Amino acid sequence: MTAALNTRVTELLGTEVPIIQGAMARIADASLASAVSEAGGLGIIACGGAPLDWVEAQIAEARSRTSKPIGANVMLMDPNAGELAKLLAELKVDVITTGAGSPANYMEMWKEAGIKVIPVVASTALAVRMERLGADAVVAEGTESGGHIGELTTMALVPSVVDAVKIPVIAAGGVADGRGLAAVFALGAEGVQMGTRFLTVEECTVADAYKERVLAAKDSDTIVTGRGSGHPARCLKNKFSRAVRKLEGDMAKNGDELEQMYLGSLRRAVEGDVENGSLMSGQVAALVHERKTAAEVIDELVREACALGARDLAEMARANAARKRA
Ligand code: TUI
């Protein structure tokens, strides 16, 4: 049983610890999400790129595996984001996180359904807009993260967002162990979201070859593709990402070829084609060495962080936020 670690985020989510599993498109399904929730964190089903019937089935499956809160993520660039937004409101998932855009169009519908809405932001300006729209909290995601990213580092972004909003801030990007968890409380965050750390856990159904690449990665093994096309995404170095980077040198000439290469690149990765797939991963792949269960990861993180004074740091983050609200 994980020791408790309370913040406004655990109160908001109804979880034992303020640890959220990041949505990873085509990876985070009912198996991973229910394991994280059952272990005391918040599991998130990633709906990016998925058909609506898959989403509905995964939420039902997760609910059959745990009675604890479960979240879903809407990738706002998804062509079916509007229909998905409606489905999630009907299903009344406990929490919705959003990425890659502004959820302004859906906020009212979700709030009316009693859903807690937590947009992922990569800038302070968007965090302020989200608070005005009624977001319950924000995830401030640094550029260390895997997948689609902004420009600012977690170290620069999180305190800036903490100073600008009154709602709880959850840090993401660059955290994979108890040291990182303690550090984000020192920055004023009241919770953490981690993707890469949960990618290698036993309950994650991604192909083993993908996990092996993450476990073997060094700190210099991620690169950012897509800067040329305006959709930057961090992934592990492999044949695919190196080829993309080369072609991006001349977008006018290679734009069509690149589009072809991206088609199915996430699917190839999760199915285990570790050379031709896009192996999205954060920089912290270098900190992930062992295969564990989700419960073991959460337990270890909380123990390590508490040994570093995380309870006091979390309490200070809460007290500072209360002072600001007064
Ligand atoms: O969304 C993510 N990470 C993702 S989405 C994804 S799926 C994908 N598949 C193929 C290629 C690219 C992506 C993989 N990883 N994180 C949250 C996040 N949101 N990071 C950055 C942002 C963001 C960026 C700009 C949010 C809003 C924004 O501008 C919105 C506005 O209105 O200003």
Side-chain angles (χ1 to χ4, degrees), residues 23-25 48-49 73-77 98-103 119-123 125-126 129-130 139 141-142 145-151 193 225 231-234 262 265-266 278 280:
M24 297 173 278
N73 173 266
V74 179
M75 212 282 266
L76 293 158
M77 291 190 306
T98 64
S102 164
V120 179
V121 302
S123 71
L126 188 59
R129 266 165 57 206
M130 294 301 104
V139 173
E141 188 191 83
S145 305
H148 180 58
I149 48 170
E151 289 289 343
Q193 176 180 279
T225 58
H231 299 302
R234 183 177 303 283
Y262 274 120
S265 61
L266 261 180
S278 174
M280 291 185 175

Side-chain angles (χ1 to χ4, degrees), residues 155 158 171 174-175 177-189 305 308 310 313:
M155 188 75 97
V158 171
V175 179
D177 60 23
R179 294 170 295 183
L181 179 57
V184 304
F185 293 138
L187 297 177
L308 292 169
L313 293 167

Side-chain angles (χ1 to χ4, degrees), residues 31-228:
S31 170
L32 178 59
S34 61
V36 171
S37 288
E38 195 52 28
L42 181 74
I44 307 263
I45 293 168
C47 307
L52 297 183
D53 56 355
W54 181 90
V55 170
E56 196 165 355
Q58 291 298 310
I59 290 170
E61 175 68 22
R63 282 176 169 161
S64 77
R65 291 182 186 213
T66 181
S67 56
K68 296 186 180 178
I70 283 279
N73 173 266
V74 179
M75 212 282 266
L76 293 158
M77 291 190 306
D78 220 332
N80 72 355
E83 280 179 85
L84 175 63
K86 258 188 248 159
L87 175 69
L88 295 175
E90 281 163 24
L91 295 173
K92 295 190 190 299
V93 289
D94 300 285
V95 181
I96 294 179
T97 63
T98 64
S102 164
N105 294 342
Y106 313 122
M107 200 69 118
E108 206 180 309
M109 175 173 64
W110 289 339
K111 299 299 301 172
E112 265 172 26
I115 295 168
K116 277 137 195 157
V117 184
I118 309 183
V120 179
V121 302
S123 71
T124 302
L126 188 59
V128 169
R129 266 165 57 206
M130 294 301 104
E131 179 173 55
R132 281 199 203 114
L133 282 175
D136 294 283
V138 286
V139 173
E141 188 191 83
T143 195
E144 298 93 324
S145 305
H148 180 58
I149 48 170
E151 289 289 343
L152 296 167
T153 60
T154 299
M155 188 75 97
L157 176 67
V158 171
S160 173
V161 173
V162 166
D163 285 347
V165 301
K166 292 177 177 168
I167 53 178
V169 177
I170 296 155
V175 179
D177 60 23
R179 294 170 295 183
L181 179 57
V184 304
F185 293 138
L187 297 177
E190 292 177 71
V192 74
Q193 176 180 279
M194 302 187 301
T196 306
R197 183 67 213 252
F198 285 118
L199 191 145
T200 60
V201 300
E202 279 173 27
E203 298 91 341
C204 178
T205 54
V206 79
D208 222 54
Y210 191 158
K211 291 184 181 177
E212 284 299 325
R213 287 291 173 108
V214 172
L215 291 164
K218 302 185 299 296
D219 56 2
S220 55
D221 282 342
T222 72
I223 47 174
V224 180
T225 58
R227 288 209 194 276

